[in-house]
Amino acid sequence: MSQVELLAPAGDLEKLQTAIDYGADAVYAGGEQFGLRAQAGNFNLDQLARARELTASRQKKLYLTLNAYLRSAEEEGLVAYLEQLSELDLDAYIVSDPGVLALVRQVDPQRSIHLSTQANTTNAAAARFWHQAGVDRVNLARELSLDEVRSIRKGADLELEVFVHGALCVAYSGRCLLSTALTGRSANQGACAQPCRWRYALMEETRPGQYFPIEEDSRGTYIMNSRDLCLIEHLPQLVAAGVNSLKIEGRMKTRYYVAAVTRVYRAALDSLLEDPQKYRFDPAWRDELDMVSHRPYDTGFLFGGGDQAQVHREDSLYRRTHDFVGVVQQVFADGRALVQGRNRFFSGEVLGLIGPTMRQAEFQVGDLATEQGVPLEVAQPNALVVTALPPGAQPGDLLRRQKEQG
Ligand code: SF4
């Protein structure tokens, strides 16, 4: 049981550091080639080498996504890329395409291989098939129920990974041409623009600009709008089912999102692994997850009925109770700190400070000044400001503001 891994997204080096600081056992990142999530601040080879150093120095694992579907013309390029990558000695590659799997086996045979959710593994026979082909871990299809996860555990002897948190997609494990058709950005190459979530209207050809609303409810229409996955309340069942890795979605999300979500799952998983008999779900964990930008939460297909529950019609808007306003860069001996603003914040307002291990505090912002000591009334986005923080604040802590209700 102690082997259960918490796997978090690393959209860039900053987010990788954040994921590790806030409790991830392993992170997944995209290279500049052959990974889905094309524009997620992907890592070039130098950045991957830095990421390797960072993760190794903290005894964490680093997985690289190579999960795009390969075209024949790209084969040579992948072989060359794999040769360059092999020197970095990453912990595993995440692949979907059997062709990519075969080329990894050929070029870098000792490399551990994880199968992406895009490969749609839905049964134990498929899991065994992939294991025999050289896959060490499979990220199961998102469409599975808990009973199906259990039955794959019984029938296949390789590591199982499941998504526990983040965006769901109404296309079968992410295979969809809607975005390609409407924007030229291919979901299967990692660039989905999420047009299934846009609002649509009807227009008569000779009256451009005059839109006739299509209404499913009073707010409009949401063609195939999915909720977000949140399994924080169901970790005991997943762990008991024999899942080896719990994966958080979201390489495109903010540093604040990565921090807030990772620390909650870390706290819950630690509590569960420490004493499964005494484990109790803490409602504060769920409250914390409401503080990040998300669509209404759902358990997806885990308990069946996902076809109904996954599509959300009443309110498709992203929601969050807090805004991310700054990152602590440095803490000085006198208790003041250097903070980089991410949103404007003001002297006199009340902010929250969060850190790893669910450490948090509320405080009223005191005087603000530049690094040179020039007084400020407001901290601007990206500006560095000096201000007092609650005792115990650490570099890497994040500041947030509660949004006004209503
Ligand atoms: S358009 Fe929507 S359904 Fe299609 S891949 Fe993107 S998120 Fe999924």
Side-chain angles (χ1 to χ4, degrees):
M1 216 183 210
S2 60
Q3 296 303 311
V4 180
E5 169 191 274
L6 181 60
L7 175 56
D12 57 29
L13 273 171
E14 260 190 356
K15 293 176 197 170
L16 180 144
Q17 179 76 57
T18 300
I20 291 174
D21 288 346
Y22 283 75
D25 299 306
V27 291
Y28 60 101
E32 286 186 317
Q33 300 175 56
F34 307 109
L36 295 182
R37 298 283 169 267
Q39 72 282 54
N42 290 345
F43 291 62
N44 62 29
L45 287 171
D46 288 344
Q47 290 164 330
L48 274 177
R50 178 77 193 114
R52 164 81 295 180
E53 276 170 28
L54 274 170
T55 46
S57 70
R58 303 277 298 271
Q59 287 86 48
K60 309 292 180 185
K61 295 202 166 146
L62 174 59
Y63 309 141
L64 181 73
T65 56
L66 294 173
N67 55 348
Y69 280 85
L70 196 68
R71 297 298 173 94
S72 298
E74 297 171 318
E75 210 175 293
E76 261 181 47
L78 176 63
V79 168
Y81 190 48
L82 290 173
E83 282 165 355
Q84 290 176 306
L85 285 173
S86 68
E87 289 174 22
L88 298 176
D89 198 24
L90 304 183
D91 292 293
Y93 298 156
I94 303 170
V95 311
S96 308
D97 180 359
V100 176
L101 167 58
L103 291 171
V104 173
R105 301 276 292 153
Q106 177 192 312
V107 176
D108 199 359
Q110 83 288 1
R111 192 71 43 213
S112 186
I113 298 174
H114 296 177
L115 193 70
S116 164
T117 199
Q118 258 81 18
N120 305 138
T121 309
T122 56
N123 59 74
R128 288 195 297 273
F129 168 84
W130 288 114
H131 196 200
Q132 280 162 12
V135 167
D136 302 293
R137 174 189 295 186
V138 59
N139 182 305
L140 296 172
R142 298 182 195 218
E143 293 77 16
L144 298 182
S145 68
L146 189 60
D147 282 343
E148 290 172 305
V149 173
R150 286 191 195 109
S151 96
I152 294 175
R153 172 73 295 155
K154 245 195 222 163
D157 187 22
L158 78 175
E159 291 185 6
L160 303 182
E161 181 181 288
V162 294
F163 275 103
V164 288
H165 198 92
L168 286 165
C169 173
V170 293
Y172 198 77
S173 279
R175 295 189 183 191
C176 172
L177 292 175
L178 193 61
S179 181
T180 310
L182 292 180
T183 70
R185 289 172 48 182
S186 166
N188 300 310
Q189 302 297 327
C192 179
Q194 302 195 323
C196 58
R197 294 171 179 181
W198 296 349
R199 292 179 181 211
Y200 291 86
L202 191 67
M203 191 191 76
E204 197 276 322
E205 275 183 15
T206 61
R207 294 180 175 78
Q210 269 188 44
Y211 300 118
F212 300 93
I214 311 169
E215 287 184 356
E216 289 176 359
D217 64 24
S218 59
R219 291 168 184 265
T221 183
Y222 320 105
I223 305 285
M224 294 178 285
N225 232 324
S226 57
R227 297 178 181 180
D228 278 358
L229 181 69
C230 175
L231 299 183
I232 188 66
E233 291 172 54
H234 306 288
L235 300 192
Q237 292 104 306
L238 289 168
V239 171
V243 169
N244 304 93
S245 178
L246 306 173
K247 185 170 188 175
I248 298 166
E249 183 273 345
R251 278 194 287 140
M252 310 280 283
K253 304 283 194 190
T254 65
R255 191 171 173 180
Y256 168 60
Y257 181 95
V258 172
V261 174
T262 304
R263 75 182 194 138
V264 165
Y265 279 86
R266 177 79 273 154
L269 191 57
D270 280 350
S271 166
L272 175 63
L273 298 179
E274 194 187 333
D275 192 343
Q277 305 307 322
K278 288 202 184 134
Y279 174 81
R280 293 283 174 275
F281 175 74
D282 182 347
W285 295 330
R286 176 63 193 244
D287 294 344
E288 275 291 310
L289 294 174
D290 281 335
M291 297 183 196
V292 300
S293 178
H294 66 282
R295 287 169 183 265
Y297 285 133
D298 196 84
T299 54
F301 294 83
L302 199 67
F303 302 104
D307 315 12
Q308 296 296 321
Q310 195 181 358
V311 177
H312 192 74
R313 294 208 169 83
E314 304 94 60
D315 179 0
S316 69
L317 300 176
Y318 278 107
R319 52 183 70 180
R320 63 178 182 273
T321 60
H322 287 66
D323 286 326
F324 173 30
V325 298
V327 184
V328 180
Q329 302 288 335
Q330 212 181 330
V331 178
F332 305 118
D334 63 4
R336 292 177 316 140
L338 185 66
V339 175
Q340 184 180 44
R342 289 296 166 98
N343 268 305
R344 275 154 48 106
F345 64 95
F346 303 86
S347 178
E349 72 168 320
V350 173
L351 293 181
L353 175 132
I354 70 165
T357 63
M358 302 305 286
R359 182 165 49 76
Q360 57 199 55
E362 276 206 343
F363 69 104
Q364 187 168 26
V365 180
D367 293 339
L368 297 170
T370 66
E371 285 180 275
Q372 291 72 33
V374 179
L376 297 169
E377 279 182 16
V378 52
Q380 299 289 354
N382 295 319
L384 288 167
V385 295
V386 176
T387 191
L389 292 181
Q394 303 285 331
D397 287 355
L398 305 179
L399 306 186
R400 66 185 177 191
R401 171 195 294 120
Q402 181 154 17
K403 286 161 74 82
E404 281 172 27
Q405 303 296 317

